């Protein structure tokens, strides 16, 4: 997880305006900004008017340490400050900040003209093609500023999470599932994610400590009803849990995308669903059927605070309830259990070999999201809904999600060629994800 965000704060001025007032506001706002948690601020000792002063300040820090730049329009200023920052930090997000205008001077003069300065900066930066530019107005103590600032920080968190992330692709994608394939060089170029291939045989044949398996078996039996599992199946589930955990840790993987059928059931003896679900409940990211971009979508959500998520199929449209059935064969983490349904490990899948989780997911507000690439275009589908109390009538893990127009949502997904997997994340994350997508130049697709 991300522990610290490194930000540069540049207060810009021009001496034709009231620099002393701009300096006072900078110092006052800086004191408030420094109270924010998990942010490390870099800032000059005084306000900056000339690029020479900015150069001297920037030379004191390492470029690669910086995650974002806040360009404060302490007064109106010329555009060279923002342009130099964009040149020096071409791939670093910039937030252009205008502060409120204080009461006019006794001579009737505008004292700061901060808004025009910030407007000039944003326009200049967008004209030169910089997409990762945002604007905010107001005091840092205002609710409006804090909301927009958090959204901007979320953009940085997603960037920081993805850049350098490594996904272990276990066995490739599922047979014939071309729609979840991904071109790895493009993935690295676009968001900094690499993919490392892991043979299924490596997972099947890991040497493991017997004591850790037995201890884990006790935890499994406390968490689930396991009456349908014999001892061999329980042991296989526990071995897979430990195997996935070891691979994640020793390979320093951010996530695993697993080809979960047909080889697991055929050669290992069970499907990996329950083992994947257990590791998901511990905070790891694992995606079904070798879905790399499904894993990336979950990493994006995790970066901005989503703790409860699930890779699902939209398996049914229920028009009378204006809802969709979000279902998968049984890979949801038990942290999503509704607390009412029977929570068990089942053998129904793969001709009775199993082993999958089996329960109904909890109700709550959800974000439905999917990253995809096709026809030389990156795009993000996103919408929100409400997971509702659902009767336990099926095998696997599932929940009904009420949306505005279920038919339109499914039509939009399918007609735009999105894969059949979507991520169900508990909470509202739409605004931050849309802003991130726009900074990348991705097309945002919604059912609105």
């Amino acid at each position: 997880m991300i522990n610290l965000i490194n930000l540069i704060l540049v207060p810009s001025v021009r001496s034709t305006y009231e620099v002393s007032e701009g300096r006072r506001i900078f110092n006052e706002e800086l004191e408030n900004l420094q109270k924010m948690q998990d942010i490390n601020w870099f800032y000059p000792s005084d306000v900056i008017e000339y690029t020479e002063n900015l150069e001297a300040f920037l030379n004191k820090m390492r470029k690669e340490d910086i995650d974002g730049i806040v360009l404060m329009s302490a007064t109106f200023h010329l555009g060279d400050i923002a342009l130099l920052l964009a040149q020096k930090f071409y791939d670093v997000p910039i937030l252009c900040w205008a502060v409120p205008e204080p009461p006019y001077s006794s001579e009737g003069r505008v004292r700061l003209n901060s808004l025009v300065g910030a407007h000039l900066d944003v326009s200049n930066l967008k004209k030169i093609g910089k997409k990762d530019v945002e604007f905010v107005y107001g005091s840092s103590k205002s609710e409006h500023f804090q909301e927009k600032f958090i959204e901007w920080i979320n953009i940085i968190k997603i960037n920081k999470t993805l850049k350098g992330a490594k996904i272990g692709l276990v066995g490739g994608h599922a047979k014939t599932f071309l729609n979840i394939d991904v071109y790895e060089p493009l993935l690295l170029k676009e968001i900094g994610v690499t993919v490392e291939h892991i043979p299924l045989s490596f997972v099947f044949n890991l040497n493991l400590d017997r004591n850790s398996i037995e201890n884990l078996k006790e935890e499994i039996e406390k968490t689930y009803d396991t009456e349908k599992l014999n001892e061999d199946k329980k042991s296989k589930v526990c071995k897979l849990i430990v195997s996935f955990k070891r691979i994640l840790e020793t390979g320093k993987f951010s996530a695993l995308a697993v080809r979960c059928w047909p080889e697991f059931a055929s050669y290992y003896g069970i499907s990996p669903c329950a083992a994947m679900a257990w590791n998901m409940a511990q905070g790891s990211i694992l995606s079904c059927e070798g879905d790399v971009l499904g894993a990336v979508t979950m990493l994006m959500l995790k970066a901005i605070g989503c703790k409860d998520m699930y890779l699902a199929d939209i398996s049914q449209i229920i028009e009378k309830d204006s809802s969709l059935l979000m279902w998968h064969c049984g890979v949801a983490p038990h942290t999503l259990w509704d607390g009412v349904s029977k929570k068990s490990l089942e053998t129904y899948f793969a001709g009775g070999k199993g082993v999958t989780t089996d329960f109904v997911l909890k109700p709550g507000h959800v974000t439905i999201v999917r990253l995809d690439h096709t026809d030389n275009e990156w795009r993000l589908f996103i919408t929100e809904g409400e997971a509702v109390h659902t009767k336990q009538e099926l095998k696997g893990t599932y929940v009904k999600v009420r949306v505005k127009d279920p038919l339109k949502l499914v039509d939009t997904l399918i007609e735009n060629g999105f894969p059949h997997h979507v991520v169900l994340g508990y909470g509202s994350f739409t605004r931050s994800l849309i802003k991130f997508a726009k900074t990348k130049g991705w097309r945002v697709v919604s059912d609105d």
Side-chain angles (χ1 to χ4, degrees), residues 23-262:
R23 181 182 291 112
R24 186 195 67 78
I25 291 174
F26 161 60
N27 289 325
E28 182 181 279
E29 296 289 359
L30 176 60
E31 183 178 350
N32 190 53
L33 292 172
Q34 288 178 316
K35 297 175 184 177
M36 295 180 175
Q37 294 183 346
D38 303 326
I39 296 178
N40 186 31
W41 291 98
F42 298 88
Y43 50 89
S45 57
D46 197 8
V47 292
I48 289 178
E49 181 170 7
Y50 303 106
T51 55
E52 293 82 3
N53 301 117
L54 179 60
E55 290 267 19
F57 164 61
L58 296 179
N59 286 339
K60 297 177 182 177
M61 64 190 64
R62 292 175 37 157
K63 174 185 171 183
E64 57 268 28
D65 291 336
I66 302 306
D67 300 311
I69 299 169
V70 179
L71 178 52
M72 179 186 189
S73 181
T75 76
F76 176 83
H77 50 279
L78 298 182
D80 50 0
I81 299 294
L83 294 172
L84 177 60
L85 286 168
Q87 181 183 3
K88 294 281 188 181
F89 301 90
Y90 67 93
D91 58 349
V92 175
I94 297 179
L95 178 67
C96 296
W97 176 14
V99 298
E101 183 69 28
Y104 303 143
S105 70
S106 56
E107 296 84 12
R109 289 171 55 88
V110 171
R111 298 168 65 188
L112 300 182
N113 207 23
S114 169
L115 181 58
V116 179
H119 193 160
L120 171 66
D121 289 335
V122 174
S123 182
N124 274 348
L125 293 172
K126 289 187 177 290
K127 291 286 186 181
I128 65 171
K130 190 166 177 60
K131 296 184 178 69
D132 51 354
V133 180
E134 294 291 321
F135 166 75
V136 66
Y137 171 84
S139 166
S140 60
K141 295 179 180 179
S142 71
E143 183 177 343
H144 173 77
F145 178 96
Q146 291 171 9
E147 287 180 358
K148 294 207 68 173
F149 187 78
I150 289 171
E151 289 173 7
W152 183 68
I153 289 295
N154 282 343
I155 293 173
I156 291 173
K157 286 180 176 179
I158 297 173
N159 262 324
K160 195 163 184 169
T161 296
L162 297 182
K163 192 173 182 178
K166 184 171 66 168
I167 294 177
L169 178 55
V170 181
H173 63 68
K175 183 179 179 180
T176 75
F177 283 18
L178 301 181
N179 66 335
I180 58 173
D181 196 15
V182 62
Y183 183 53
E184 294 170 30
L186 196 59
L187 183 64
L188 177 60
K189 178 183 177 182
E190 183 69 15
I191 56 176
V193 173
T194 58
V195 176
E196 184 174 315
H197 291 254
I198 303 168
L200 286 168
S201 58
F202 179 78
V203 182
F204 295 166
N205 298 310
L206 272 176
N207 291 319
L208 303 170
D209 175 58
R210 185 176 297 274
N211 289 332
S212 64
I213 301 300
E214 291 302 317
N215 293 336
L216 187 55
K217 192 183 295 184
E218 292 180 12
E219 290 187 58
I220 295 287
E221 290 171 340
K222 290 177 182 177
T223 304
Y224 292 101
D225 181 335
T226 60
E227 63 178 351
K228 293 185 180 179
L229 269 61
N230 58 32
E231 289 304 308
D232 180 61
K233 279 184 165 50
K234 290 179 187 178
S235 293
K236 281 185 166 64
V237 170
C238 294
K239 287 177 183 177
L240 270 184
I241 290 171
V242 176
S243 296
F244 286 141
K245 184 179 179 182
R246 180 184 291 184
I247 291 168
L248 281 160
E249 291 176 350
T250 59
K252 297 182 178 178
F253 291 107
S254 307
L256 295 180
V258 182
R259 178 179 166 112
C260 42
W261 59 268

Side-chain angles (χ1 to χ4, degrees), residues 312-316 324-327 368 409-410 413 420 422:
D313 294 339
I314 301 176
S315 67
Q316 189 178 351
L324 303 167
L325 184 69
M326 298 292 191
W327 174 93
I368 303 168
L409 188 154
V410 173
L413 268 173
H420 59 289
V422 296

